Amino acid sequence: MEALVIVPTYNERENVSELIRSVLSVDDRLEMLVVDDNSPDGTGEIVDEIAERESRVHVLHREGKMGLGSAYITGFKWALEKTDAKYIFEMDADFSHDPNALPEFLHEIESCDLVIGSRYLKGITVVNWPLSRLFLSCGANLYTRIVTGLPLKDSTGGFKCFRREVLEQLPLDTIKSDGYSFQIEMNFICWKKGFRIKEIPIIFVDRRVGISKMSRSIIWEAAFMVWRLRFMNPSRWK
């Protein structure tokens, strides 16, 4: 296995089959791990059926809705323990992240440690978001840069590719944040550890079907997280 794309799911039955087909067709080096939080709509069962006939698809079932951050941590640990994947992706299940961008990530990761798909690197490349959501996202990224010094245009996005060696050196067991704050925390620790981070522009399109998982609790968690990162003990990331 050269690269593993980790996709957390909760009630994504309308997207997951097509997403798997799209990702696997883009590059033969890619395999997928779906981490499903016991979706009531049967998403996990759909992926099980696909995995039975497609060896490049893997699935982990969790007992319930436990959050995006913990889903990725579970996926990262599985990738490190069960595979020899050199590159490990984060990717949303709702087609807001274009599978056709995956080969560019694979090209860029050859010369750096973490590649981040940025919605704000070259202007604003977001499609179909309401202005309120766009202002929230832009404001969150500006706020993060000011408070933490993290030199990224888009520190809250979730389309990313890590070198295996990066995840092996991160304190995965201590990362408990979710949503926006999970992405910020992961990026911040990578930056503080001196890993080479590169942003590349992506086109982000709001989900086609299904319901957004954004909530007020996720927003408030991120707002407080950046201050915790600013004053975090440096031993946390060494």
Side-chain angles (χ1 to χ4, degrees), residues 6-47:
I6 300 175
V7 179
T9 57
Y10 185 78
N11 287 349
E12 296 288 356
R13 66 172 295 127
E14 296 171 290
N15 294 309
V16 70
S17 296
E18 184 179 352
L19 179 69
I20 291 172
R21 285 195 298 270
S22 298
V23 169
L24 297 187
S25 66
V26 160
D27 195 303
D28 291 340
R29 295 172 291 176
L30 296 171
E31 297 193 19
M32 291 187 70
L33 171 64
V34 174
V35 183
D36 185 69
D37 277 4
N38 196 23
S39 298
D41 71 349
T43 299
E45 287 76 8
I46 292 172
V47 181

Side-chain angles (χ1 to χ4, degrees), residues 126-213:
V126 176
V127 179
N128 290 339
W129 258 5
L131 282 177
S132 59
R133 182 74 182 273
L134 183 60
F135 287 150
L136 173 64
S137 179
C138 290
N141 279 286
L142 177 60
Y143 176 72
T144 298
R145 287 197 301 274
I146 292 172
V147 175
T148 67
L150 185 60
L152 298 175
K153 294 288 188 179
D154 190 352
S155 57
T156 62
F159 198 5
K160 302 155 77 168
C161 181
F162 296 87
R163 278 184 174 271
R164 179 188 189 91
E165 295 82 359
V166 173
L167 294 177
E168 288 175 334
Q169 295 183 51
L170 296 187
L172 298 179
D173 287 330
T174 69
I175 297 173
K176 306 298 182 183
S177 51
D178 199 19
Y180 276 167
S181 58
F182 173 76
Q183 304 300 351
I184 296 169
E185 185 172 9
M186 291 288 289
N187 293 336
F188 184 84
I189 296 175
C190 287
W191 174 54
K192 285 296 185 179
K193 289 179 73 69
F195 290 117
R196 300 165 297 170
I197 303 174
K198 182 171 184 179
E199 290 184 275
I200 61 173
I202 61 168
I203 304 295
F204 181 95
V205 181
D206 195 17
R207 65 163 54 241
R208 302 184 305 187
V209 295
I211 300 172
S212 172
K213 311 302 191 298

Side-chain angles (χ1 to χ4, degrees), residues 8 37 62 64-72 178:
D37 277 4
R62 305 203 299 171
K65 191 175 183 181
M66 301 167 64
L68 182 74
S70 67
Y72 276 126
D178 199 19

